[in-house]
Amino acid sequence: MHPLNEYISKQLAEKLKARKVVVWYDPRREFAPFIGELRGGARTGDEAVTVAVGGLAARLAEFDGSLFELRAVVEPFVCDDAPSECVIIYLPGCERDRHGSVLMELEKAGECYEPQLKRLARNVLRQRYTDGVIDEMSAPERVSYEDLARASSDTSSTEPPSVLKSIFHGASGNDGIIAPWLASDGRDAEIESKEATRELVKLIRSKLGLELPDDAPLPRLRSISLRYVLAGEFRGDLSGALPLALDSIPAPRTRDEEGAVRELAHLLRTKFSEAYPGMADRVEAELGLDAAAISAGTLGSIDTFRFEEQALLAHCGDLVAQKKFDQALELITGREQSFWLDRDVGRKAQWEACRRMAELGALGVAVRAAVGKASVDANGWIDAYVAKNGWFRLDQAQRRLEAWVANLDDEPEERPLGIVRGVYEDACRAMADGFTRALVAANWAVSSCLHQTRIFSEVVSEQPKPVAYFFVDAMRFEMGVELSERLPKSVEVSVRAAVCALPSITPIGMAALQPGASSSFSVVEQGGALGARIDDAFLPDLTARKKFAASRIPKLSDIALDELLSLQPSRLAKKIEGSQVIIVRSQEIDHAGERGFTFQARQVMDTVIDNLARAIRKLAAAGVEHCVLTADHGHLFFPSDRDESMRIASPGGDEVDLHRRCWIGRGGTTPSGCVRVTASALGYDSDLDFVFPLGSGVFKAGGDLAFHHGGPSLQEMVIPVVTVRMKTSAPGRSSSGPVAAIGLPDAVTNRIFSVVIQLDGKNLSLFSTELVVRPLLMSAGKQVGGVGMAIDGEFDRSTGCVKLEAGKQVTVAFLLSDESVPSLRVVIQNPTTDAELYRSPTDIPVRLGV
């Protein structure tokens, strides 16, 4: 038997297995020869005969003029609720009556079959021929079952088998021939030598609807076809007026042809991704699309050409500059999987910057509106700031944007970035002004929030010992929240807000964290120096504070964060052995900000959070389960110094100390836009006065600073108190693990660079098909960078973790946050245990600017 018979029999058998009864309408009598083959000869009577269909026994009943007679013939086989035999009811020359058929009951109980001969035959003939050849074979109106049966036979075909299929052996479908031919001229010589050009032309005409010249050389045919495919996809995705350049390119005429064009273009991008940029760039240049006046708003969701991504990024920047932040975010979300972005980390980083700008802008507008409606109750202001989705998220979004922009080799467009920064500053100014006025109305007292001077007595002293007490200089409330989110889910962690002592400067805030501050604390001048007094102790500087803490806290250890991170686990355990309280000091944020290293401060803020999380895990490995992290004060942070119009002249008088956000002294004047408060009004036993700007302005205190603190804004005064319990465990050990990194750079020459990571199958559990990991950049025991984006993988921006799936590669974009390191290593950790799953075999030198 021939292949066409076998194919139809298989289709029919599957329907019989599923429904037992098949009512087959054949109005053109196309399948009468097949029924004859099935019957095994001429029809000899009106009764149903037994036939074999695809290895299945069935009864065949045929229409011969009377539907009632036909129904009576099959009645004995279908009279039960569940027919015991399979039945084929064949109706040649008969159209189906969909509303009043005599056989309606049988049609509903079984399956009504109305096949088209040429369509079924095409599926069989594709085993030997391309669609172009099949079109020619089946084109004649009177082509018969016998004709198609002969064509499907290996021995009696009227056409030679496809030459293209032999050239593109192993190709799947017609696209499997056209796509590799468009992508490469490597088989052109063979196509010419085997005279398969005509077959190729017929295939493209059949599949895509494109008429090609029969006598053109293959390079020209390829050029015409490629323009047709890419222009067709681009045209179908465009919502506005077509550029003139497309007038010369014919368009697909049917929906099937449009679908075929889209599928082929998609196949070129996915299966021939290395060649596609060259092809697309060539067609883009030939059509002059990059210079055409095409509105970015009319471009669709498919980036056929490179210029589309570039135009849309510029359009996204325009939306941000117009403060249409929600529209920008919608556009960005729709472009996250662009072909061009997945191949260019630098461009994807620009889109990520635009996303962060839009997020900050949207939050800025929302917070500014909420601030305008806030009451004069100071407690209400703090509650609104620290709520789960409170105003602090605005500062979080600002830090994330500024940290990201600081790592880009090319900053985003100046206008949208400036607009968003302006939105943030406007919101900060309104928040600072409103909150300061609320404090004045409340006589500088807030009752709903823990005061900084009570953190040691009410939080630290209540913790089981040993306990680590972190002093993180200038850590804002939002950074404490983010720290809690970056810790493993198994860790017990809570974040509450506290209000720091005024003025919000380091000597005062750090003293307020000392034992005894809850019962005796004043800000005073002594010997011409400003400091805090607890009982009879005057604490103007770090030396005095360390001496004081040692006298009040038995079995105290004091260590800098940098030293803690660099110590080996055994040496750390020995250093803190027997300690009941371990003070851990971090000055990285304030150090970078206060010294005017604005660019470095923007980079370091994210890294400090990760290094604090590492320190907590490292202490747990050394036997310290409990930690309390807090700050001396927060900060206001802008990308550039305050405008001259926002700089305020010093009040004069007997000046004891002057900072950008506070004046401390006696007498003098109160400048416009400022508020004065006496030390006694703040509860201090002192004759000092304090003058603070109402908004976000600064005094002319010297220095070119964009990093400010000392005043009474929410960002400066509201600090986090993070309480952590992490069960002690053995330190994470290096492991060969199931993770591998591919494409490590010979040297780091850009702050953003990409590496491919994957589960390589080695040591992978039988039941483990996915794994969450934390990729890091490490140098001398410190984290100096992390992942900012992931391509083709699930990425958690809050924790820096990436989900890997077995057999799937993920490209991660690392951000180097500390440019000063001479070298680094790529490390991939288990985020729960800190165990190393991968470490790059050698140090990778850092050579920025090379």
Side-chain angles (χ1 to χ4, degrees), residues 28-245:
R28 299 177 61 182
R29 302 178 183 271
E30 293 178 309
F31 292 93
F34 170 79
I35 295 296
E37 293 172 344
L38 195 65
R39 194 191 304 117
R43 186 181 180 193
T44 59
D46 297 332
E47 299 301 315
V49 296
T50 301
V51 296
V53 185
L56 188 70
R59 295 279 188 170
L60 171 65
E62 301 177 53
F63 173 68
D64 191 23
S66 172
L67 291 174
F68 290 101
E69 179 185 9
L70 181 62
R71 190 173 68 177
V73 169
V74 300
E75 183 68 26
F77 310 111
V78 298
C79 59
D80 295 332
D81 290 341
S84 57
E85 295 186 66
C86 294
V87 178
I88 304 169
I89 304 170
Y90 177 62
L91 295 95
C94 189
E95 294 280 355
R96 179 185 176 189
D97 183 351
R98 299 180 182 275
H99 302 289
S101 172
V102 173
L103 305 179
M104 182 73 73
E105 186 179 12
L106 293 169
E107 293 174 5
K108 295 293 185 182
E111 179 167 342
C112 197
Y113 191 34
E114 299 175 86
Q116 296 181 21
L117 175 61
K118 290 182 179 180
R119 183 171 296 178
L120 290 179
R122 181 178 292 272
N123 294 333
V124 179
L125 295 172
R126 277 175 176 160
Q127 304 300 316
R128 303 187 68 232
Y129 310 105
T130 55
D131 275 0
V133 173
I134 296 171
D135 284 346
E136 287 196 347
M137 293 167 57
S138 59
E141 181 66 24
R142 300 179 63 83
V143 67
S144 68
Y145 175 87
E146 290 88 347
D147 296 330
L148 295 171
R150 283 194 297 272
S152 71
S153 172
D154 288 339
T155 58
S156 59
S157 174
T158 58
E159 287 274 352
S162 169
V163 177
L164 287 177
K165 284 184 177 289
S166 68
I167 295 173
F168 294 89
H169 51 81
S172 175
N174 295 302
D175 283 352
I177 293 174
I178 300 174
W181 174 72
L182 288 175
S184 169
D185 61 2
R187 293 184 173 94
D188 280 8
E190 190 175 0
I191 292 173
E192 290 178 349
S193 66
K194 293 183 177 180
E195 299 181 352
T197 302
R198 182 171 174 272
E199 183 185 354
L200 178 63
V201 168
K202 288 193 289 185
L203 172 61
I204 291 173
R205 181 191 306 123
S206 171
K207 180 69 176 176
L208 305 179
L210 173 63
E211 295 289 344
L212 290 170
D214 291 329
D215 56 349
L218 285 172
R220 185 176 174 222
L221 294 177
R222 178 180 292 104
S223 179
I224 295 171
S225 301
L226 190 59
R227 278 199 301 272
Y228 176 81
V229 170
L230 298 189
E233 182 189 51
F234 176 70
R235 176 192 282 115
D237 201 37
L238 198 66
S239 60
L242 296 177
L244 294 177

Side-chain angles (χ1 to χ4, degrees), residues 456 459-470 553-559 564 572-584 615-616 618-629 723-729:
F456 184 87
V459 182
V460 179
S461 63
E462 296 299 315
Q463 300 297 312
K465 305 300 185 289
V467 59
Y469 189 19
F470 283 74
I553 305 174
K555 298 182 180 180
L556 173 71
S557 291
D558 196 305
I559 186 171
L564 188 157
L572 174 62
K574 185 175 181 180
K575 183 176 181 67
I576 63 176
E577 185 178 4
S579 301
Q580 293 299 292
V581 178
I582 302 101
I583 291 179
V584 181
I616 292 169
K618 201 163 186 178
L619 285 166
V624 181
E625 285 191 12
H626 299 272
C627 298
V628 177
L629 300 92
T723 306
V724 180
R725 183 190 179 195
M726 175 177 279
K727 293 184 178 180
T728 57
S729 61

Side-chain angles (χ1 to χ4, degrees), residues 819-832:
E819 313 179 4
S820 64
V821 297
S823 63
L824 55 80
R825 292 203 187 199
V826 171
V827 174
I828 302 175
Q829 293 181 336
N830 181 317
T832 302

